[in-house]
Coordinates of all heavy atoms in Angstrom, one line a residue:
M19 N 77.7 65.7 36.3 CA 77.0 64.5 35.9 C 77.5 63.9 34.6 O 77.8 62.8 34.6 CB 75.5 64.9 35.8 CG 74.6 63.7 36.1 SD 72.9 64.2 36.2 CE 72.6 63.8 37.9
S20 N 77.6 64.7 33.6 CA 78.1 64.2 32.3 C 79.5 64.6 32.1 O 80.0 65.5 32.8 CB 77.2 64.8 31.1 OG 77.3 66.2 31.1
S21 N 80.2 63.9 31.3 CA 81.7 64.1 31.1 C 82.0 65.3 30.2 O 82.9 66.0 30.4 CB 82.3 62.8 30.6 OG 81.8 62.5 29.3
G22 N 81.1 65.5 29.2 CA 81.4 66.6 28.2 C 80.1 67.3 28.0 O 79.0 66.9 28.5
P23 N 80.2 68.4 27.3 CA 79.0 69.2 27.0 C 78.0 68.5 26.2 O 78.3 67.7 25.3 CB 79.5 70.5 26.3 CG 81.0 70.3 26.1 CD 81.4 69.0 26.7
E24 N 76.7 68.7 26.5 CA 75.6 68.0 25.8 C 75.1 68.9 24.7 O 74.6 68.5 23.7 CB 74.4 67.7 26.8 CG 74.8 66.7 27.8 CD 75.1 65.3 27.3 OE1 74.5 65.0 26.2 OE2 75.8 64.6 27.9
F25 N 75.2 70.3 24.9 CA 74.7 71.2 23.9 C 75.9 71.8 23.1 O 77.0 72.0 23.7 CB 74.0 72.4 24.6 CG 72.8 72.0 25.4 CD1 72.5 72.7 26.6 CD2 71.9 71.0 25.0 CE1 71.4 72.4 27.3 CE2 70.8 70.7 25.7 CZ 70.5 71.4 26.9
G26 N 75.7 72.0 21.8 CA 76.7 72.5 21.0 C 76.8 74.0 21.1 O 75.9 74.7 21.4
L27 N 78.0 74.5 20.9 CA 78.3 76.0 20.9 C 77.5 76.7 19.8 O 77.0 77.8 20.0 CB 79.8 76.3 20.8 CG 80.6 76.3 22.1 CD1 82.0 76.6 21.8 CD2 80.0 77.2 23.1
A28 N 77.4 76.1 18.7 CA 76.7 76.8 17.6 C 75.3 77.1 17.9 O 74.8 78.2 17.6 CB 76.7 75.9 16.3
A29 N 74.6 76.3 18.7 CA 73.2 76.5 19.1 C 73.2 77.7 20.1 O 72.3 78.5 20.0 CB 72.6 75.3 19.8
M30 N 74.2 77.9 20.9 CA 74.3 79.0 21.8 C 74.4 80.3 21.1 O 73.8 81.3 21.4 CB 75.4 78.9 22.8 CG 75.4 77.6 23.6 SD 73.9 77.3 24.6 CE 73.2 76.0 23.7
Y31 N 75.3 80.3 20.0 CA 75.4 81.5 19.2 C 74.1 81.9 18.5 O 73.7 83.0 18.5 CB 76.5 81.3 18.1 CG 77.9 81.3 18.6 CD1 78.6 80.1 18.7 CD2 78.6 82.4 19.0 CE1 79.9 80.0 19.1 CE2 79.9 82.4 19.4 CZ 80.5 81.2 19.5 OH 81.8 81.2 19.9
R32 N 73.4 80.9 18.0 CA 72.1 81.1 17.3 C 71.1 81.7 18.3 O 70.4 82.6 18.0 CB 71.6 79.8 16.7 CG 72.3 79.5 15.4 CD 71.6 78.4 14.7 NE 71.3 77.2 15.4 CZ 72.2 76.1 15.6 NH1 73.3 76.2 14.9 NH2 71.9 75.1 16.3
I33 N 71.0 81.1 19.5 CA 70.1 81.6 20.5 C 70.3 83.1 20.8 O 69.4 83.9 20.8 CB 70.1 80.8 21.8 CG1 69.5 79.4 21.5 CG2 69.4 81.5 22.9 CD1 69.8 78.4 22.6
M34 N 71.6 83.4 21.0 CA 71.9 84.8 21.4 C 71.7 85.8 20.2 O 71.2 86.9 20.4 CB 73.3 84.9 22.0 CG 73.4 84.3 23.4 SD 74.9 84.6 24.2 CE 75.9 83.2 23.6
K35 N 72.0 85.3 19.0 CA 71.8 86.1 17.8 C 70.3 86.4 17.6 O 69.9 87.5 17.3 CB 72.4 85.5 16.6 CG 73.9 85.4 16.6 CD 74.5 86.7 16.0 CE 76.0 86.5 15.8 NZ 76.5 87.6 15.0
K36 N 69.5 85.3 17.7 CA 68.0 85.5 17.6 C 67.5 86.4 18.7 O 66.4 87.0 18.5 CB 67.4 84.1 17.7 CG 67.5 83.3 16.5 CD 66.8 81.9 16.6 CE 67.0 81.1 15.4 NZ 66.3 79.8 15.5
S37 N 68.2 86.5 19.8 CA 67.7 87.4 20.9 C 68.2 88.8 20.7 O 67.9 89.6 21.6 CB 68.2 86.8 22.2 OG 67.6 85.5 22.4
G38 N 68.9 89.1 19.7 CA 69.2 90.5 19.4 C 70.7 90.8 19.5 O 71.1 92.0 19.2
A39 N 71.6 89.9 19.8 CA 73.0 90.2 20.0 C 73.6 90.3 18.6 O 73.3 89.5 17.7 CB 73.7 89.0 20.7
E40 N 74.4 91.4 18.4 CA 75.1 91.6 17.2 C 76.3 90.7 17.1 O 76.6 90.1 16.1 CB 75.5 93.0 17.0 CG 74.4 93.9 16.6 CD 74.9 95.3 16.3 OE1 76.0 95.5 15.6 OE2 74.3 96.3 16.7
R41 N 77.1 90.6 18.2 CA 78.3 89.8 18.3 C 78.2 89.0 19.6 O 77.7 89.5 20.6 CB 79.5 90.7 18.3 CG 79.6 91.5 17.0 CD 80.8 92.4 17.0 NE 82.0 91.7 17.1 CZ 83.2 92.2 17.3 NH1 83.3 93.5 17.4 NH2 84.3 91.5 17.4
V42 N 78.8 87.8 19.6 CA 78.8 87.0 20.7 C 80.2 86.4 20.9 O 80.8 85.8 20.0 CB 77.8 85.8 20.5 CG1 77.9 84.8 21.7 CG2 76.4 86.3 20.3
S43 N 80.8 86.6 22.1 CA 82.1 86.1 22.3 C 82.1 84.6 22.6 O 81.0 84.0 23.0 CB 82.8 86.8 23.5 OG 82.2 86.3 24.7
D44 N 83.2 83.9 22.3 CA 83.3 82.5 22.6 C 83.0 82.2 24.1 O 82.3 81.2 24.4 CB 84.6 81.9 22.2 CG 84.9 82.0 20.7 OD1 83.9 82.1 19.9 OD2 86.1 81.9 20.3
D45 N 83.5 83.0 25.0 CA 83.3 82.8 26.4 C 81.8 83.0 26.8 O 81.3 82.2 27.6 CB 84.2 83.8 27.2 CG 85.6 83.5 27.2 OD1 86.0 82.3 26.8 OD2 86.4 84.4 27.5
A46 N 81.1 83.9 26.1 CA 79.7 84.1 26.4 C 78.9 82.9 26.0 O 78.0 82.4 26.7 CB 79.2 85.3 25.8
A47 N 79.2 82.4 24.8 CA 78.5 81.2 24.3 C 78.8 80.0 25.2 O 77.9 79.2 25.5 CB 79.0 80.9 22.9
D48 N 80.0 79.8 25.6 CA 80.4 78.7 26.5 C 79.7 78.9 27.9 O 79.2 77.9 28.4 CB 81.9 78.6 26.7 CG 82.3 77.4 27.5 OD1 81.9 76.3 27.1 OD2 83.1 77.5 28.4
E49 N 79.6 80.1 28.4 CA 78.9 80.3 29.7 C 77.4 80.0 29.6 O 76.8 79.4 30.5 CB 79.1 81.7 30.2 CG 78.7 82.0 31.6 CD 79.4 81.1 32.6 OE1 80.6 80.7 32.4 OE2 78.8 80.9 33.7
L50 N 76.8 80.4 28.5 CA 75.4 80.1 28.3 C 75.2 78.6 28.2 O 74.2 78.1 28.8 CB 74.8 80.8 27.0 CG 73.4 80.5 26.7 CD1 72.5 81.1 27.8 CD2 73.0 81.2 25.4
R51 N 76.0 77.9 27.5 CA 75.9 76.5 27.5 C 76.0 75.9 28.9 O 75.2 75.0 29.2 CB 77.0 75.9 26.6 CG 77.0 74.4 26.6 CD 78.0 73.8 25.6 NE 79.4 74.2 25.7 CZ 80.3 73.9 24.9 NH1 80.0 73.1 23.8 NH2 81.5 74.3 25.0
K52 N 76.9 76.3 29.7 CA 77.1 75.8 31.0 C 75.8 76.0 31.9 O 75.4 75.1 32.6 CB 78.3 76.4 31.7 CG 79.6 75.9 31.2 CD 80.8 76.7 31.9 CE 82.1 76.3 31.2 NZ 83.2 77.2 31.8
V53 N 75.3 77.2 31.8 CA 74.1 77.6 32.6 C 72.9 76.7 32.1 O 72.2 76.2 32.9 CB 73.8 79.1 32.5 CG1 72.4 79.4 33.0 CG2 74.9 79.9 33.2
L54 N 72.7 76.7 30.8 CA 71.6 75.9 30.3 C 71.7 74.4 30.6 O 70.7 73.8 30.9 CB 71.4 76.1 28.8 CG 71.0 77.5 28.3 CD1 70.9 77.6 26.8 CD2 69.7 77.9 29.0
E55 N 72.9 73.9 30.6 CA 73.0 72.5 30.9 C 72.8 72.2 32.4 O 72.1 71.2 32.7 CB 74.4 72.0 30.5 CG 74.6 71.8 29.0 CD 75.9 71.3 28.6 OE1 76.8 71.2 29.4 OE2 76.1 71.0 27.4
E56 N 73.2 73.1 33.2 CA 72.9 73.0 34.7 C 71.4 73.0 34.9 O 70.9 72.2 35.7 CB 73.6 74.1 35.4 CG 73.4 74.0 36.9 CD 74.1 75.1 37.7 OE1 75.2 75.5 37.3 OE2 73.6 75.5 38.7
V57 N 70.7 74.0 34.3 CA 69.3 74.1 34.5 C 68.6 72.8 33.9 O 67.7 72.3 34.5 CB 68.7 75.4 33.8 CG1 67.2 75.4 33.7 CG2 69.2 76.6 34.5
A58 N 69.0 72.4 32.7 CA 68.4 71.2 32.1 C 68.6 69.9 33.0 O 67.7 69.1 33.2 CB 69.0 70.9 30.8
E59 N 69.8 69.8 33.7 CA 70.0 68.7 34.5 C 69.1 68.7 35.8 O 68.6 67.7 36.2 CB 71.5 68.6 35.0 CG 72.4 68.1 33.9 CD 73.8 68.1 34.3 OE1 74.1 68.3 35.5 OE2 74.7 67.8 33.4
R60 N 68.9 69.9 36.3 CA 68.0 70.1 37.5 C 66.6 69.7 37.1 O 65.8 69.1 37.8 CB 68.1 71.5 38.0 CG 69.3 71.8 38.7 CD 69.3 73.3 39.2 NE 70.6 73.7 39.7 CZ 70.9 74.8 40.3 NH1 69.9 75.8 40.3 NH2 72.0 75.1 40.7
I61 N 66.1 70.2 35.9 CA 64.8 69.9 35.5 C 64.6 68.4 35.2 O 63.6 67.8 35.7 CB 64.4 70.7 34.2 CG1 64.3 72.2 34.5 CG2 63.1 70.2 33.5 CD1 64.2 73.1 33.3
A62 N 65.6 67.8 34.6 CA 65.5 66.3 34.3 C 65.5 65.5 35.6 O 64.7 64.6 35.7 CB 66.7 65.9 33.4
K63 N 66.3 65.9 36.6 CA 66.3 65.2 37.9 C 64.9 65.3 38.6 O 64.4 64.3 39.0 CB 67.4 65.8 38.8 CG 67.5 65.0 40.1 CD 68.7 65.6 40.9 CE 68.7 64.8 42.2 NZ 69.8 65.3 43.1
Q64 N 64.4 66.5 38.6 CA 63.1 66.7 39.3 C 62.0 66.0 38.5 O 61.1 65.4 39.1 CB 62.8 68.2 39.5 CG 61.5 68.3 40.3 CD 61.3 69.7 40.8 OE1 61.8 70.7 40.2 NE2 60.6 69.9 41.9
A65 N 62.1 66.0 37.2 CA 61.1 65.3 36.4 C 61.1 63.8 36.6 O 60.1 63.1 36.7 CB 61.3 65.6 34.9
A66 N 62.3 63.3 36.8 CA 62.4 61.8 37.1 C 61.8 61.5 38.4 O 61.1 60.5 38.6 CB 63.9 61.4 37.1
E67 N 62.0 62.4 39.4 CA 61.4 62.2 40.7 C 59.9 62.3 40.7 O 59.2 61.5 41.3 CB 62.0 63.3 41.7 CG 63.4 63.1 42.0 CD 64.0 64.2 42.8 OE1 63.3 65.2 43.1 OE2 65.2 64.2 43.1
L68 N 59.4 63.2 39.9 CA 57.9 63.3 39.7 C 57.3 62.1 39.1 O 56.3 61.6 39.5 CB 57.6 64.5 38.9 CG 57.8 65.9 39.5 CD1 57.7 67.0 38.5 CD2 56.8 66.1 40.7
S69 N 58.0 61.5 38.1 CA 57.5 60.3 37.4 C 57.5 59.1 38.3 O 56.6 58.3 38.4 CB 58.2 60.1 36.1 OG 59.6 59.7 36.3
M70 N 58.6 59.0 39.1 CA 58.7 57.9 40.1 C 57.6 58.0 41.1 O 57.0 57.1 41.5 CB 60.1 57.9 40.7 CG 61.1 57.3 39.7 SD 62.7 57.0 40.5 CE 63.2 58.5 41.2
H71 N 57.4 59.3 41.6 CA 56.3 59.5 42.6 C 55.0 59.1 42.0 O 54.1 58.6 42.8 CB 56.3 61.0 43.0 CG 55.3 61.3 44.0 ND1 55.4 60.9 45.3 CD2 54.1 62.0 43.9 CE1 54.3 61.3 46.0 NE2 53.5 62.0 45.2
A72 N 54.8 59.3 40.7 CA 53.5 58.9 40.1 C 53.4 57.4 39.8 O 52.5 57.0 39.2 CB 53.3 59.8 38.8
G73 N 54.5 56.7 40.1 CA 54.5 55.3 39.8 C 54.9 54.9 38.4 O 54.5 53.8 38.0
R74 N 55.6 55.8 37.7 CA 56.0 55.6 36.4 C 57.5 55.5 36.2 O 58.2 56.2 37.0 CB 55.4 56.7 35.4 CG 54.0 56.7 35.3 CD 53.5 57.8 34.3 NE 53.3 59.1 35.0 CZ 54.2 60.1 34.9 NH1 55.2 60.1 34.1 NH2 53.9 61.2 35.6
K75 N 58.0 54.8 35.2 CA 59.4 54.8 34.9 C 59.7 55.8 33.8 O 60.8 56.2 33.6 CB 59.8 53.4 34.5 CG 59.8 52.4 35.6 CD 60.3 51.1 35.1 CE 60.3 50.0 36.2 NZ 60.8 48.7 35.8
T76 N 58.6 56.2 33.1 CA 58.8 57.1 31.9 C 58.5 58.5 32.3 O 57.5 58.8 32.9 CB 57.8 56.6 30.8 OG1 58.0 55.3 30.5 CG2 57.9 57.5 29.6
I77 N 59.4 59.4 31.9 CA 59.2 60.8 32.1 C 58.3 61.3 31.0 O 58.5 61.1 29.8 CB 60.5 61.6 32.1 CG1 61.4 61.2 33.3 CG2 60.2 63.1 32.1 CD1 62.8 61.8 33.3
K78 N 57.2 62.0 31.4 CA 56.2 62.5 30.4 C 56.4 64.0 30.3 O 56.9 64.7 31.2 CB 54.8 62.1 30.8 CG 54.6 60.6 30.8 CD 53.1 60.3 30.9 CE 53.0 58.8 30.6 NZ 51.6 58.5 30.4
P79 N 55.8 64.6 29.2 CA 55.9 66.0 29.0 C 55.4 66.8 30.3 O 56.0 67.9 30.6 CB 55.0 66.3 27.8 CG 55.0 65.0 27.1 CD 55.1 64.0 28.1
E80 N 54.3 66.4 30.9 CA 53.8 67.1 32.1 C 54.8 67.1 33.2 O 54.8 68.1 34.0 CB 52.4 66.6 32.5 CG 52.4 65.1 32.8 CD 51.9 64.3 31.6 OE1 52.1 64.7 30.4 OE2 51.4 63.2 31.9
D81 N 55.6 66.1 33.3 CA 56.7 66.1 34.4 C 57.7 67.1 34.1 O 58.1 67.9 35.0 CB 57.4 64.7 34.4 CG 56.5 63.5 34.7 OD1 55.6 63.7 35.6 OD2 56.6 62.5 34.1
I82 N 58.1 67.3 32.8 CA 59.0 68.3 32.4 C 58.5 69.7 32.7 O 59.1 70.6 33.2 CB 59.4 68.2 30.9 CG1 60.2 66.8 30.7 CG2 60.3 69.4 30.5 CD1 61.5 66.7 31.4
R83 N 57.2 69.9 32.3 CA 56.5 71.2 32.5 C 56.5 71.6 34.0 O 56.9 72.7 34.4 CB 55.1 71.2 31.9 CG 55.1 71.4 30.4 CD 53.7 71.7 29.9 NE 52.8 70.6 30.0 CZ 52.7 69.6 29.1 NH1 53.4 69.6 28.0 NH2 51.9 68.6 29.3
L84 N 56.1 70.7 34.8 CA 56.0 70.9 36.2 C 57.4 71.2 36.8 O 57.6 72.1 37.6 CB 55.3 69.8 37.0 CG 55.0 70.0 38.5 CD1 54.2 71.2 38.7 CD2 54.3 68.8 39.0
A85 N 58.3 70.3 36.5 CA 59.7 70.5 37.0 C 60.3 71.8 36.6 O 60.9 72.5 37.4 CB 60.5 69.3 36.5
S86 N 60.1 72.2 35.3 CA 60.6 73.5 34.8 C 60.0 74.6 35.6 O 60.7 75.6 35.9 CB 60.5 73.6 33.3 OG 59.1 73.7 33.0
K87 N 58.7 74.6 35.9 CA 58.1 75.6 36.7 C 58.7 75.7 38.0 O 58.9 76.8 38.6 CB 56.6 75.4 36.8 CG 55.9 75.7 35.5 CD 54.4 75.5 35.7 CE 53.7 75.7 34.4 NZ 52.2 75.4 34.4
N88 N 59.0 74.6 38.6 CA 59.6 74.6 40.0 C 61.1 75.0 40.0 O 61.5 75.7 40.9 CB 59.5 73.2 40.6 CG 58.1 72.8 40.9 OD1 57.3 73.6 41.2 ND2 57.9 71.5 40.9
V89 N 61.8 74.7 38.9 CA 63.2 75.0 38.9 C 63.5 76.4 38.5 O 64.3 77.1 39.1 CB 64.0 74.0 37.9 CG1 65.4 74.5 37.6 CG2 64.0 72.6 38.5
I90 N 62.8 76.9 37.5 CA 63.1 78.3 37.0 C 62.0 79.3 37.3 O 62.2 80.5 37.0 CB 63.4 78.3 35.5 CG1 62.2 77.7 34.7 CG2 64.6 77.5 35.1 CD1 62.4 77.8 33.2
R91 N 61.0 78.9 38.0 CA 60.0 79.8 38.5 C 59.4 80.7 37.5 O 59.4 81.9 37.6 CB 60.5 80.6 39.7 CG 61.1 79.8 40.8 CD 60.0 79.4 41.7 NE 60.6 78.7 42.9 CZ 60.3 77.5 43.3 NH1 59.4 76.8 42.7 NH2 60.9 76.9 44.3
L92 N 58.9 80.1 36.4 CA 58.3 80.9 35.3 C 56.9 81.3 35.7 O 56.1 80.6 36.2 CB 58.3 80.2 34.0 CG 59.6 80.1 33.3 CD1 59.5 79.2 32.1 CD2 60.2 81.4 32.9

């Protein structure tokens, strides 16, 4: 969908370090970025569909919450 990465690698390193990783490889940070961007795109797409179904052009927080529950099954 997008031409380049939307999330920075530094954020991926911070997430993994905060989660307990002592060291993080560049490939691991890049892979996490790819996975998170794919999940984010799926959530955004479904949230847009939910807002349109509700007769709105604006995506609201509840659209994101519902879409994220459907996409990642939390």
Side-chain angles (χ1 to χ4, degrees):
M19 205 172 246
S20 62
S21 59
E24 297 292 333
F25 299 144
L27 274 180
M30 303 303 108
Y31 287 107
R32 284 192 305 272
I33 289 169
M34 288 190 273
K35 292 274 190 168
K36 285 181 182 179
S37 297
E40 284 188 40
R41 297 176 61 188
V42 177
S43 72
D44 292 344
D45 289 339
D48 189 49
E49 190 63 27
L50 180 60
R51 174 172 56 186
K52 289 175 187 175
V53 169
L54 291 179
E55 286 181 353
E56 182 179 325
V57 171
E59 285 180 9
R60 289 181 187 180
I61 291 170
K63 183 177 180 182
Q64 189 168 21
E67 292 171 1
L68 289 167
S69 68
M70 287 189 303
H71 180 73
R74 292 183 274 107
K75 292 182 180 179
T76 303
I77 296 174
K78 296 196 170 191
E80 55 266 25
D81 299 322
I82 297 295
R83 280 191 293 273
L84 183 57
S86 67
K87 286 181 182 177
N88 291 334
V89 169
I90 57 179
R91 305 276 186 235
L92 286 176

